[in-house]
């Protein structure tokens, strides 16, 4: 009959799409084709297989993103994993990505803090040398008073250079 012929054509199209599918979208499109004829042959089962393959593809993409080990890649992985909540180890991977972001952000903050500390240390060293070269107090940049024992007029420390 004409109806069976149409169903068979759609079924064949779905099988071809499923066999050729490599991406999340291609698996989704194949699943959608099978869902339109879910009562025909094993189309319902094949729709489920395509949906599972789609989720596996997303899971694999997320794993690849997480191998990069940077904040942006972990965020991308999380945006993928949220699409497949509850699938295999997606939830654990999501939590892992969240934790890694936190660790990397803490490391980034610590690195910035150390860089700023080093910058201030170098600035202080430069100021100290500059002040000494201009016969000023190396601790505060103030001027000295006194003929024999020179004392800073600002901080009161003795000249020790």
């Amino acid at each position: 009959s004409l109806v069976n012929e149409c169903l068979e054509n759609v079924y064949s199209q779905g099988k071809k799409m499923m066999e050729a599918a490599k991406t999340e979208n291609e698996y989704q499109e194949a699943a959608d084709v099978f869902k339109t004829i879910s009562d025909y042959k094993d189309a319902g089962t094949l729709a489920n297989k395509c949906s599972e393959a789609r989720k596996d593809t997303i899971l694999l993409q997320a794993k690849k993103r997480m191998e990069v080990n940077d904040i942006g890649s972990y965020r991308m992985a999380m945006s993928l994993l949220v699409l497949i909540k509850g699938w295999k180890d997606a939830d654990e991977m999501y939590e892992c990505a969240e934790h890694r972001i936190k660790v990397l952000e803490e490391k980034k903050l610590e690195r910035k803090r150390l860089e700023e500390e080093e910058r201030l240390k170098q600035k202080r060293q430069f100021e100290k040398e500059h002040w000494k070269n201009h016969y000023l107090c190396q601790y505060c940049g103030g001027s000295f008073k006194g003929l024999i024992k020179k004392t800073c007029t600002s901080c009161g420390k003795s000249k020790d250079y």
Side-chain angles (χ1 to χ4, degrees):
S1 79
L2 188 58
V3 172
N4 273 351
E5 194 177 315
C6 278
L7 289 171
E8 189 58 38
N9 285 342
V10 172
Y11 183 83
S12 294
Q13 179 189 359
K15 292 266 290 195
K16 286 177 189 170
M17 290 172 74
M18 181 179 173
E19 289 164 8
K22 289 179 179 61
T23 67
E24 165 198 350
N25 289 336
E26 290 170 347
Y27 281 114
Q28 184 62 55
E29 288 170 5
D32 291 343
V33 167
F34 285 123
K35 284 176 187 173
T36 64
I37 57 165
S38 60
D39 292 334
Y40 184 74
K41 291 185 178 180
D42 61 346
T45 303
L46 293 177
N48 288 337
K49 282 186 178 181
C50 287
S51 293
E52 290 173 358
R54 175 188 163 270
K55 291 176 188 176
D56 285 340
T57 302
I58 293 170
L59 194 65
L60 185 61
Q61 288 174 354
K63 283 180 181 176
K64 285 180 181 175
R65 297 274 186 198
M66 289 175 70
E67 288 171 4
V68 176
N69 197 32
D70 68 36
I71 292 172
S73 295
Y74 282 118
R75 286 195 174 125
M76 284 294 297
M78 289 171 70
S79 70
L80 291 168
L81 293 166
V82 90
L83 300 173
I84 55 170
K85 268 188 169 187
W87 181 251
K88 295 184 177 177
D89 60 346
D91 296 345
E92 292 84 5
M93 286 175 59
Y94 186 93
E95 288 176 21
C96 178
E98 218 170 26
H99 174 72
R100 290 298 303 149
I101 287 172
K102 189 176 181 181
V103 168
L104 290 172
E105 284 177 341
E106 287 171 1
K107 283 183 180 179
K108 190 176 178 182
L109 284 174
E110 179 64 10
R111 196 168 44 252
K112 281 187 176 187
R113 187 190 66 74
L114 290 172
E115 286 170 1
E116 180 63 13
E117 198 175 278
E118 182 60 26
R119 188 189 67 76
L120 290 173
K121 184 178 166 187
Q122 287 176 358
K123 179 183 175 198
R124 181 74 178 109
Q125 186 63 35
F126 175 79
E127 284 176 342
K128 185 177 180 178
E129 292 302 317
H130 176 76
W131 290 337
K132 282 169 72 173
N133 290 337
H134 289 86
Y135 306 103
L136 300 171
C137 175
Q138 67 176 330
Y139 303 102
C140 71
S143 57
F144 292 108
K145 68 177 180 180
L147 293 173
I148 298 170
K149 184 179 178 197
K150 298 198 179 268
T151 307
C152 177
T153 58
S154 296
C155 70
K157 291 188 179 182
S158 297
K159 183 177 180 186
D160 56 2
Y161 63 91

